[in-house]
Amino acid sequence: MTTILVTGGTGTLGRHVTERLRAAGHEVRVLSRHTPPYAVDLREGGSGLDAAVTGADTIVHCATSARGGDEQAARNLTAAARRAGAGHLVYISIVGVDRVPFGYYKTKLAVERLVEESGLGWTVLRATQFHDLVLTVLQGMAKLPVLLLPARVKDQPVEVTEVAARLAELAQGAPAGRADDMGGPEVRTFDSLARAYLKASGRRRAVVKFPLRGAAYDAFRDGGHLAPERAVGKGTFDEYLRKRFPATAAHR
C-alpha cells in the first residue's frame, strides 16, 4: 500500500480515480479547495499544500479551474512535491493540446511542460473529451430555441470512468513519460452527437450548422483534437445517454 494524493479528487474525473485507488488498497488523500483536511487552493499554495504532499509517494494531478491559474497551480504543486521528495507525478491532459491553438489547450500544454521539467518522475496521459463535457455543452446550447453548431467539426468522446481506470493504473506503476493517448470508441460529427442528445432527452430543437473562423476552429475542423488511431475506449455516447436519460429511453 502506498500513499497517493489526488488533486481535484472530488471532481468529475478525480472522484473516480480516488475510488479506484482506494479499492486497490492505497491510502488516498483528496485535495480540493473546499474539502478538509486538505482544503487547498493550488493557485495560492502554502502550508496546507506542503502538508498534503508530505509523505505522498505519488501525486495524481486532476485539478483544473475554469477561472484560470492552472500554470501557477502546477508551479506550486511541483515545487511542493520536490520539497516533499514525491517520486511520481501523474497528470491528465487533453488530446491535441499541441495541435489546437485554443486558449485552454495552450494552458494544458504549458502545464505538461512544467510537469516534464519538474525534476520529478512523471507520467502524462492525454484523453479526448469526456461524455460529460459534451453533454454539458449541448445542454447549454439547447437553452436557445435553435441549436447552433459549428460546421464540419467532429468529436471522439470517452467514458470518464475508463479514463479514471487508466489513470489509476498509471499511478500505480513507474513513471512512464508520455503515455499512449486515450480516445473514445467513435469519431462522430458534432451534429450526430447533438441529434442523439435531443432524441435521448426528448427535447425538440432545430439544428443549424454554421462555419466559424480562426486558427482554433480550423484545427478542430481538421481533427487536431482527435485520436482515431487510439480509439481504445469502450463506452459509446449513445450508451452514456441511455444511462443519463433512462425514463426517455424506456418510452421509446
Side-chain angles (χ1 to χ4, degrees), residues 20 30 58 69 84 102 110 114 119 125 134 154 175 180 224 229 239 243:
R20 289 274 181 169
V30 171
T58 298
F102 180 60
L114 289 169
L125 172 65
V134 174
K154 297 180 180 180
D180 289 338
E229 72 288 352
E239 291 169 341
K243 294 176 184 176

Side-chain angles (χ1 to χ4, degrees), residues 13-229:
L13 173 64
R15 61 190 175 88
H16 293 295
V17 175
T18 296
E19 290 170 2
R20 289 274 181 169
L21 291 171
R22 283 180 173 158
H26 300 284
E27 177 189 341
V28 181
R29 300 174 183 174
V30 171
L31 183 151
S32 72
R33 289 193 297 272
H34 306 295
T35 305
Y38 302 112
V40 176
D41 188 330
L42 284 172
R43 296 169 299 180
E44 298 176 3
S47 59
L49 175 56
D50 286 326
V53 300
T54 297
D57 304 286
T58 298
I59 299 168
V60 183
H61 186 28
C62 300
T64 186
S65 174
R67 296 178 293 174
D70 280 6
E71 290 180 61
Q72 185 58 50
R75 291 188 188 97
N76 291 336
L77 180 62
T78 53
R82 282 194 300 270
R83 290 193 296 269
H88 189 188
L89 176 59
V90 183
Y91 179 57
I92 182 66
S93 189
I94 306 171
V95 169
V97 292
D98 54 346
R99 300 191 296 263
V100 179
F102 180 60
Y104 184 62
Y105 281 35
K106 290 179 181 179
T107 297
K108 297 292 280 188
L109 181 60
V111 173
E112 280 190 13
R113 289 171 176 161
L114 289 169
V115 169
E116 294 168 8
E117 297 167 2
S118 66
L120 303 164
W122 60 275
T123 300
V124 170
L125 172 65
R126 293 179 180 176
T128 54
Q129 303 294 344
F130 302 149
H131 294 316
D132 306 68
L133 178 61
V134 174
L135 176 61
T136 298
V137 170
L138 291 172
Q139 287 175 324
M141 290 177 168
K143 291 179 180 179
L144 298 174
V146 175
L147 201 61
L148 301 173
L149 302 176
R152 293 185 292 165
V153 172
K154 297 180 180 180
D155 213 339
Q156 189 182 354
V158 66
E159 173 57 45
V160 66
T161 56
E162 295 178 4
V163 177
R166 177 60 175 146
L167 206 59
E169 179 184 33
L170 290 168
Q172 294 174 86
R178 268 289 307 280
D180 289 338
D181 291 350
M182 185 170 185
E186 302 173 314
V187 176
R188 296 179 56 173
T189 65
F190 209 66
D191 172 70
S192 76
L193 295 170
R195 294 183 187 279
Y197 157 68
L198 291 173
K199 182 178 180 181
S201 63
R203 308 187 77 168
R204 295 179 179 273
R205 295 288 186 277
V207 176
V208 176
K209 295 175 285 185
F210 63 98
L212 297 173
R213 296 193 178 195
Y217 170 67
D218 289 345
F220 280 124
R221 185 192 60 199
D222 293 341
H225 60 306
L226 306 176
E229 72 288 352

